Amino acid sequence: MSNKTKRSISPYIALIFIIAVVYFVSSVLTPSSTQLTYSEFKKELKNNNVKTVEISPNSKGATYDIQGELKSSKDNKAYYVVAPLSDDTIDYISNMQQKNNFKMIVSADPTTSFWVEFFINVVPYLIIGGFLIWLFSKQLGNNSKSMDFGKSRARLNDDKDKKTFKSVAGLDEEKEELTELVDFLKNPKKFTAMGARIPKGVLLVGNPGTGKTLLAKAIAGEANVPFYFISGSDFVELFVGIGASRVRDMFKQAKQNAPCLIFIDEIDAVGRQRGTGLGGGHDEREQTLNQLLTEMDGFGTNEGIIIIAATNRPDVLDPALLRPGRFDRQITVGLPDVKGRKEILKVHAENKKFAKSVTLENIARRTVGFSGADLENLLNEAALLAVRRDKDKITMSELDEAYDRVIMGPAKKSHQYTEKERKVVAYHEAGHAVVGIKLDGANDVQKITIVPRGAAGGYNLMLPKEEKYLATKEELLDQISGYLGGRIAEEITFGEVTTGAQNDFEKATHIARSMVTEYGMSDLGPVTFEHQESNVFLGRDYNKSKNFSGQIAYQIDEEIRKIISKQYDITKKIIKENKALLKLIAEALLEKETITKEEIDFLVKNGKLPTEEELKEWEEKQDKKEEKVKKEDK
């Protein structure tokens, strides 16, 4: 049981314990007794059924309190009698005592004082009541926010987590766009004198992990102004109107601390387009959005308050939120290029120890498509592996393994192939490599392994030879051939095919379909038949609009089949012409299980795997060639 759980239930355990103690004390101090009338008591005296009698004046002074035990009581249960306060009562009981010889005690003072009665009858309830008041006050104190339904959940950032633009790497253009906001917050008169109006809102759009939140923190740190941050989901509650109240309270606090920044993370949680969905919209979310729109640009003015919001789904946001006067400026925070990745790696490598053989530039070249968060995770995984292996520095071995773990998951070394399966996987991966080597437009093979990772039986790391933003038709066709190489190698070598090429076919078909329906690279002409309704960078294609007839759909399918079939024949010809190279790479994989780009290059040129010394010499030669090419380019 966690400490938090123990703390939450301990007051209730203490309450139960106190009630039990009070009940026990009360039962001890006030023993149970049978109430008798004075007439019944006299009857018991006559029948000689009285064992003991104790007489004392009542505290009120109007009656006698008589108690004792009866002879007929099996469990020694006491009796209690209230008798008239007179001499006749004492005389009668005395006469019966002489006759029946029972034990009799007469007390001049009341048996129960006022303080004893007070302790027995009042104090236990005071204790229980006081404990309950303390318990509820403590619970309300710990959860005071639960009572403040309409209060803003926005928190003020402290200086402990202060960031500046120096903390943000690889986003030079984005930082340049945001420098205006910093200048305005530092010196607003410079802008107002020119008649310029600074953007009221800036929307940061981009892939998850690209640094949108970090950019917002850096702006606050550079401007040195109050920085309120809140998540879009913090506005939405069960009760209608609570979110709108929180928006009002948030802007009220911001006005008191202007100039300031408000950062709303994942704004799509509250800023979705109104009136969508079956049966109408979401009343609470829509009222919250309406209030946010009014506060940003309504009848009231919020001078000196700049709102920064982040999302990776701008397509679902309400148009009223994106119009000028609200979110005037949209900044796309994209994935970093090789230069940006190198700068990001430098930032995250500051507190880590690397071997001399590790170069951040090589890591940056290999991590195409990685976001800033991915790169940070890559270096962290490498550091964890180095600790696990009892090393004092991070080497390329840990970085290679960390890369594979991030992309495909940990290696399943316990998974045992049959000898035939192992051979099929080796030739399959070698087929990809052969096509990558022989076709200029195909992706370059960086690493091949037949060690299972994730759901894959083998793994072939293929990256573009150059990082480009455009792709030609020939390059796309060569990429399709690269994906088909594994299946064709199986077919040519073993005369049969396996299920291992399923993911390859999926990727090849996706490229072919995009060529036909989006890029206009088929016999159907330069026409777009499908377009994305969701963000391209999210990689979704299930939400495409299709504005064409059934006849066109048939033709699209035919064109896709034609592209795949043509490239299949071309790839088959390449594999048949390079059977010796296919066998060479496959046998090297069966021998070593994992081979890198440098080993593949040496293998292709020399027909054998290099020794450690040969590999070092080969790598040095390749580095010199790269340096020479760079100098010539400059």
Side-chain angles (χ1 to χ4, degrees):
M1 185 182 295
S2 64
N3 292 331
K4 187 176 180 181
T5 306
K6 290 179 180 177
R7 285 196 300 270
S8 63
I9 65 173
S10 57
Y12 302 101
I13 296 174
L15 176 62
I16 295 171
F17 177 75
I18 290 174
I19 293 173
V21 169
V22 170
Y23 177 79
F24 176 75
V25 171
S26 300
S27 64
V28 170
L29 293 177
T30 55
S32 58
S33 59
T34 303
Q35 179 76 29
L36 299 177
T37 63
Y38 185 56
S39 299
E40 291 174 339
F41 174 66
K42 291 170 72 175
K43 186 176 180 182
E44 296 291 345
L45 287 173
K46 288 179 181 179
N47 295 334
N48 193 19
N49 193 29
V50 177
K51 188 176 181 181
T52 60
V53 174
E54 184 178 345
I55 305 172
S56 60
N58 190 279
S59 58
K60 297 179 181 178
T63 57
Y64 283 121
D65 289 337
I66 303 174
Q67 56 187 356
E69 295 181 11
L70 299 175
K71 294 179 180 179
S72 61
S73 178
K74 295 180 180 179
D75 51 357
N76 295 324
K77 195 172 183 180
Y79 65 86
Y80 174 74
V81 182
V82 178
L85 185 65
S86 66
D87 294 337
D88 293 339
T89 302
I90 300 296
D91 292 341
Y92 179 78
I93 297 174
S94 298
N95 292 332
M96 294 303 297
Q97 192 266 343
Q98 292 176 1
K99 182 178 178 183
N100 297 329
N101 194 27
F102 52 81
K103 185 177 179 181
M104 177 177 170
I105 299 173
V106 180
S107 174
D109 299 322
T111 56
T112 306
S113 67
F114 168 78
W115 295 109
V116 173
E117 287 189 353
F118 179 80
F119 180 78
I120 293 173
N121 299 319
V122 179
V123 171
Y125 299 103
L126 290 177
I127 293 173
I128 295 173
F131 180 78
L132 288 173
I133 292 172
W134 171 81
L135 177 64
F136 285 114
S137 64
K138 183 177 180 182
Q139 292 295 319
L140 289 174
N142 291 338
N143 301 292
S144 57
K145 289 184 179 179
S146 63
M147 303 301 292
D148 299 333
F149 291 112
K151 296 295 182 182
S152 171
R153 293 283 196 267
R155 290 169 289 171
L156 188 63
N157 192 37
D158 54 12
D159 292 334
K160 295 178 182 178
D161 194 28
K162 189 174 181 179
K163 303 288 184 183
T164 63
F165 282 150
K166 290 182 180 179
S167 308
V168 183
L171 299 173
D172 296 335
E173 292 80 7
E174 290 82 355
K175 286 190 287 187
E176 189 177 338
E177 285 287 320
L178 297 169
T179 303
E180 283 183 359
L181 300 182
V182 177
D183 291 341
F184 173 78
L185 292 168
K186 286 182 175 179
N187 188 13
K189 292 182 180 179
K190 182 173 68 173
F191 291 85
T192 55
M194 188 61 67
R197 177 183 63 81
I198 202 69
K200 291 186 177 180
V202 176
L203 183 65
L204 302 177
V205 180
N207 294 49
T210 49
K212 300 184 291 295
T213 305
L214 183 61
L215 269 176
K217 288 182 179 180
I219 295 169
E222 289 285 340
N224 197 24
V225 296
F227 176 64
Y228 292 92
F229 59 97
I230 188 171
S231 171
S233 60
D234 284 335
F235 291 113
V236 183
E237 287 286 353
L238 172 66
F239 305 106
V240 176
I242 297 300
S245 176
R246 288 177 179 172
V247 171
R248 287 190 294 269
D249 188 63
M250 180 179 69
F251 276 88
K252 180 181 176 182
Q253 292 180 31
K255 287 176 188 176
Q256 295 170 356
N257 294 280
C260 68
L261 286 168
I262 297 175
F263 176 61
I264 305 175
D265 200 8
E266 305 297 345
I267 195 173
D268 51 277
V270 69
R272 284 178 175 266
Q273 190 168 351
R274 291 166 291 183
T276 56
L278 298 175
H282 187 294
D283 284 341
E284 164 61 359
R285 190 183 67 230
E286 291 188 5
Q287 287 198 23
T288 305
L289 175 59
N290 291 338
Q291 187 63 46
L292 182 62
L293 296 174
T294 303
E295 292 289 346
M296 288 187 71
D297 188 28
F299 281 103
T301 57
N302 292 312
E303 297 296 336
I305 300 174
I306 296 176
I307 299 177
I308 302 173
T311 181
N312 46 34
R313 292 299 308 274
D315 54 300
V316 301
L317 296 181
D318 195 279
L321 197 62
L322 303 177
R323 73 157 175 81
R326 288 179 179 139
F327 283 106
D328 307 83
R329 186 174 295 179
Q330 292 188 35
I331 298 176
T332 300
V333 186
L335 293 171
D337 57 12
V338 63
K339 181 184 174 184
R341 291 196 296 273
K342 184 180 177 181
E343 292 175 359
I344 293 169
L345 288 168
K346 282 182 180 178
V347 172
H348 294 301
E350 286 180 356
N351 62 340
K352 295 178 176 62
K353 298 178 182 179
F354 291 95
K356 291 181 180 179
S357 59
V358 175
T359 56
L360 297 180
E361 190 173 351
N362 288 339
I363 302 171
R365 272 200 234 106
R366 292 179 55 185
T367 49
V368 179
F370 274 47
S371 66
D374 293 330
L375 293 170
E376 191 274 336
N377 186 42
L378 173 69
L379 295 186
N380 185 62
E381 285 288 340
L384 293 174
L385 284 168
V387 173
R388 194 182 303 172
R389 295 173 179 178
D390 294 325
K391 292 186 177 181
D392 56 353
K393 291 183 179 179
I394 302 170
T395 66
M396 281 305 298
S397 174
E398 284 75 46
L399 286 164
D400 285 338
E401 177 64 21
Y403 183 93
D404 294 340
R405 290 170 70 91
V406 170
I407 296 295
M408 299 293 293
K412 296 183 178 179
K413 295 179 181 178
S414 60
H415 183 76
Q416 295 295 325
Y417 280 129
T418 63
E419 191 58 36
K420 184 180 178 181
E421 283 179 327
R422 191 166 178 270
K423 199 171 181 181
V424 168
V425 172
Y427 273 89
H428 178 102
E429 301 302 336
H432 291 303
V434 168
V435 178
I437 292 167
K438 294 300 177 181
L439 288 179
D440 292 335
N443 289 337
D444 203 9
V445 179
Q446 299 289 326
K447 183 179 181 180
I448 313 173
T449 179
I450 58 173
V451 177
R453 285 185 181 273
Y459 171 43
N460 196 322
L461 175 59
M462 301 178 72
L463 298 175
K465 291 180 173 66
E466 292 180 326
E467 197 168 344
K468 298 190 295 186
Y469 294 97
L470 297 175
T472 65
K473 181 178 179 180
E474 290 302 318
E475 287 172 343
L476 293 175
L477 292 173
D478 287 348
Q479 287 179 26
I480 292 173
S481 293
Y483 288 123
L484 298 175
R487 164 60 70 86
I488 293 170
E490 293 178 22
E491 184 180 344
I492 291 174
T493 306
F494 303 101
E496 58 182 358
V497 294
T498 67
T499 59
Q502 182 268 333
N503 187 248
D504 298 331
F505 290 160
E506 184 179 339
K507 292 176 181 177
T509 305
H510 176 74
I511 294 174
R513 187 171 192 86
S514 297
M515 289 175 66
V516 176
T517 61
E518 296 178 41
Y519 307 147
M521 294 179 177
S522 70
D523 293 340
L524 294 181
V527 182
T528 298
F529 296 103
E530 297 175 348
H531 66 272
Q532 296 278 357
E533 290 188 348
S534 60
N535 281 320
V536 176
F537 56 73
L538 287 177
R540 308 290 191 230
D541 62 354
Y542 54 79
N543 197 24
K544 290 182 177 179
S545 62
K546 301 179 180 180
N547 301 316
F548 47 80
S549 65
Q551 179 65 27
I552 294 295
Y554 173 76
Q555 292 178 10
I556 289 172
D557 292 339
E558 285 295 310
E559 286 295 319
I560 294 171
R561 191 178 296 112
K562 188 192 297 183
I563 291 172
I564 297 292
S565 299
K566 182 180 178 181
Q567 293 309 118
Y568 196 92
D569 294 336
I570 292 172
T571 309
K572 198 169 188 179
K573 183 180 178 182
I574 293 170
I575 296 290
K576 284 182 176 179
E577 291 174 352
N578 295 276
K579 273 188 176 182
L581 179 59
L582 176 71
K583 184 178 180 182
L584 186 66
I585 296 174
E587 288 180 350
L589 279 171
L590 290 170
E591 178 186 341
K592 201 176 176 184
E593 288 193 334
T594 301
I595 54 177
T596 62
K597 174 178 168 52
E598 292 75 19
E599 291 173 318
I600 295 169
D601 292 341
F602 188 92
L603 183 67
V604 171
K605 188 170 184 180
N606 299 284
K608 65 168 187 173
L609 282 171
T611 62
E612 290 186 8
E613 293 179 358
E614 289 174 334
L615 184 60
K616 285 181 181 179
E617 290 177 4
W618 179 264
E619 289 175 350
E620 288 174 1
K621 287 181 182 178
Q622 298 303 313
D623 291 339
K624 288 178 181 179
K625 284 183 181 179
E626 287 182 7
E627 289 176 6
K628 187 178 179 181
V629 170
K630 286 181 182 177
K631 288 179 181 179
E632 290 174 355
D633 291 340
K634 287 181 180 179

